[in-house]
Amino acid sequence: MQVGMVGLGRMGANMAVRLIRGGHEIVGYAADPAGVKAIAREGATGTTTLDDFIRALRPPRVAWVMVPAGAATEQVVTDLAKRMAPDDTIVDGGNSFYKDDVRRMKVLRDKRIHYVDVGTSGGVWGLERGYCLMIGGERDVVERLEPIFKTLAPGKGSIPRTPGRETTGGTAEQGYLYCGPSGAGHFVKMIHNGIEYGLMQAYAEGLDILKNANAKDLEADLRYELDIPDITEVWRRGSVVSSWLLDLTAQALVENPTLSNYTGVVADSGEGRWTVMAAVEEGVPADVLSASLYTRFRSRQSHTFAEKVLSAMRQKFGGHVEPPAGG
């Protein structure tokens, strides 16, 4: 299929390259000329204005937006809508708030432009591993775009089939899922990221306890000098707490056992806050997810080893660079 990619940063460029490798025709647009040149070298058609971008796409057009959530996405969707025609489709693959999706869908529906929201997980590793996709929108439009999702997703790979799913069918085993109408994809991704906060916090706190097992306040015969990199490594092998996040943590610790290259400033990109807000609206207790969010707030004032572990994991799985303290 022909796909237009707006935003050629860390995620957008990698997704465009994966689609090219999968046989799709890519038209790329970014405000940064360097990003446009880079994707053109991969075989895409590079454009430097939205007018040229739209002209390069054949109707019915598909424009996949990969820019930061919030004002940037709002502006791009608005600018695209002014240039697009009935039956064209805008796909928001970023981390937009699901209520914004519903609002945008209603505005675009009046113009007969389709809107699809795709929660995208995979970070900087997605180019090779594939992306887990959580999709919302009109079912028939989503089905029309399925070749795109199938290429971006990781496929079954080597993961064993869940017992009992032999006759279930569907696309979940392939790594992409139609979740429901507009907003459903980003809602599921929002909760995914809230859970991610909790998982990361649990690892970080546990490792901090291990690191401080030699505290002077402990009785002498109850102090332990523990090798944290080795512990994370052994946990990777047969342990019930093994995971990709643990793999990345072990990698960061073997590179620098003290994590002295991290300050412990841990950002939050919005989804954790929205998850807690959704829990309040639904009346659902979310103790762990709430606490992990508040810990990130605290990390911007004081920094523990746990926060350095969190920061290390974010850098490893998503290439996230620490913001300056107080920023």
Side-chain angles (χ1 to χ4, degrees):
M1 291 184 68
Q2 188 190 51
V3 186
M5 185 67 70
V6 180
L8 299 170
R10 193 169 53 218
M11 286 275 286
N14 281 351
M15 293 173 76
V17 171
R18 186 172 176 89
L19 287 169
I20 291 169
R21 292 178 181 176
H24 297 273
E25 179 186 349
I26 298 298
V27 177
Y29 166 76
D32 180 12
V36 175
K37 291 179 181 177
I39 203 63
R41 287 195 294 269
E42 297 287 345
T45 299
T47 61
T48 55
T49 70
L50 278 181
D51 289 331
D52 288 342
F53 174 78
I54 293 297
R55 278 193 290 267
L57 292 171
R58 296 184 297 273
R61 303 171 184 86
V62 178
W64 189 299
V65 179
M66 287 301 294
V67 299
T73 295
E74 194 73 30
Q75 189 63 57
V76 168
V77 170
T78 299
D79 290 344
L80 284 172
K82 292 176 181 177
R83 294 165 170 82
M84 297 181 93
D87 208 31
D88 287 350
T89 301
I90 296 175
V91 180
D92 178 5
N95 281 324
S96 289
F97 187 39
Y98 73 101
K99 293 183 180 180
D100 289 338
D101 292 321
V102 176
R103 174 179 52 79
R104 290 179 192 137
M105 176 275 293
K106 292 177 179 177
V107 172
L108 294 174
R109 184 174 57 191
D110 292 339
K111 302 174 182 289
R112 294 171 52 206
I113 297 171
H114 306 294
Y115 182 85
V116 175
D117 56 284
V118 181
T120 307
S121 180
V124 296
W125 300 84
L127 173 60
E128 302 301 332
R129 287 170 54 104
Y131 301 89
C132 175
L133 305 174
M134 296 142 272
I135 308 162
E138 303 163 83
R139 184 182 286 274
D140 60 329
V141 176
V142 171
E143 289 175 352
R144 187 173 72 193
L145 302 181
E146 187 165 8
I148 300 171
F149 304 137
K150 192 170 184 178
T151 300
L152 288 172
K156 289 183 179 180
S158 59
I159 299 174
R161 170 169 278 170
T162 300
R165 290 197 64 94
E166 292 81 4
T167 59
T168 302
T171 63
E173 287 185 323
Q174 301 293 333
Y176 65 99
L177 179 68
Y178 174 71
C179 299
S182 288
H186 278 148
F187 184 84
V188 173
K189 177 55 161 55
M190 175 183 78
I191 304 305
H192 163 285
N193 282 26
I195 292 171
E196 178 185 293
Y197 280 30
L199 290 171
M200 293 169 68
Q201 188 63 33
Y203 282 127
E205 291 179 7
L207 294 177
D208 207 9
I209 295 168
L210 293 172
K211 179 179 182 294
N212 287 282
N214 62 350
K216 63 181 181 180
D217 293 335
L218 297 171
E219 295 179 26
D221 57 353
L222 296 177
R223 297 175 194 164
Y224 304 106
E225 294 287 343
L226 301 173
D227 190 312
I228 309 302
D230 276 357
I231 290 170
T232 56
E233 185 62 31
V234 77
W235 283 355
R236 294 181 62 222
R237 305 178 185 280
S239 164
V240 296
V241 298
S242 61
S243 72
W244 186 43
L245 282 174
L246 183 62
D247 295 345
L248 298 174
T249 305
Q251 180 183 340
L253 286 166
V254 79
E255 292 170 355
N256 184 344
T258 66
L259 300 183
S260 59
N261 50 326
Y262 299 96
T263 65
V265 174
V266 187
D268 73 285
S269 52
E271 299 89 343
R273 302 185 190 210
W274 300 336
T275 295
V276 173
M277 288 164 54
V280 171
E281 290 174 355
E282 296 174 11
V284 174
D287 300 10
V288 171
L289 306 190
S290 299
S292 64
L293 173 65
Y294 300 148
T295 298
R296 293 191 177 208
F297 295 163
R298 183 177 59 78
S299 78
R300 297 160 204 172
Q301 284 80 45
S302 60
H303 311 307
T304 66
F305 187 76
E307 285 147 4
K308 291 185 179 183
V309 172
L310 284 174
S311 194
M313 283 191 281
R314 291 187 84 247
Q315 195 278 328
K316 288 300 178 187
F317 76 71
H320 301 292
V321 178
E322 290 181 332

